[in-house]
Amino acid sequence: MKVYILFAHPSKASFNRQVLEAVTQGIQDAGHMYDINDLYETDFQSDMDLDQYQREVGLNPDAPVPHDVTIEQQKVNGADVLAFIYPVWWSDCPAKLKGWFDRVCTYGYAYL
């Protein structure tokens, strides 16, 4: 089994980082594989630009998808399990993760 982990916390000394380490150790101990995208470490672009916005609101699945989004969609497609590790701030996930959902879950990929 392959797990794709989306990690969203800016601090390397956080409780969430400890959770990430425990989860990855458990995955390894169970004989499975994982890939991590630390959205803060990779500086994932969470803001949707005008071209991507127009693609989404125009509901045109044939319009080009940004390269970084295509890479994320390929990682999702290659995983058997998605895991999200993040703190809850003001009753929601961090903006980096929210932006990941906004940009990666595109029209024609995640919904029609």
Side-chain angles (χ1 to χ4, degrees), residues 14 25-28 31 40-41 44-45 50-51 59 65 67 70 77 79 91 93-94 100 104 106 110:
S14 67
Q25 186 62 56
I27 292 168
Q28 283 180 321
Y40 284 90
E41 189 174 287
F44 181 78
Q45 179 187 336
L50 180 59
D51 288 339
L59 302 178
V65 174
H67 182 67
T70 301
N77 289 343
S91 301
C93 61
W100 185 92
V104 174
T106 61

Side-chain angles (χ1 to χ4, degrees), residues 7-94:
F7 179 75
H9 197 290
S11 174
K12 295 202 182 293
S14 67
F15 173 72
N16 287 106
R17 177 66 65 172
Q18 293 176 0
V19 170
L20 175 64
E21 291 169 3
V23 166
T24 56
Q25 186 62 56
I27 292 168
Q28 283 180 321
D29 291 349
H32 301 297
M33 300 177 300
Y34 65 89
D35 189 18
I36 300 170
N37 185 351
D38 181 334
L39 297 177
Y40 284 90
E41 189 174 287
T42 62
D43 197 25
F44 181 78
Q45 179 187 336
S46 54
D47 295 341
M48 186 180 290
D49 66 17
L50 180 59
D51 288 339
Q52 190 173 10
Y53 168 76
Q54 289 176 333
R55 179 194 187 281
E56 295 305 308
V57 299
L59 302 178
N60 181 3
D62 297 324
V65 174
H67 182 67
D68 63 333
V69 170
T70 301
I71 290 170
E72 286 301 299
Q73 290 172 343
Q74 290 170 349
K75 289 179 181 180
V76 169
N77 289 343
D80 299 301
V81 175
L82 297 178
F84 299 91
I85 301 174
Y86 61 91
V88 176
W89 292 337
W90 293 100
S91 301
D92 205 348
C93 61

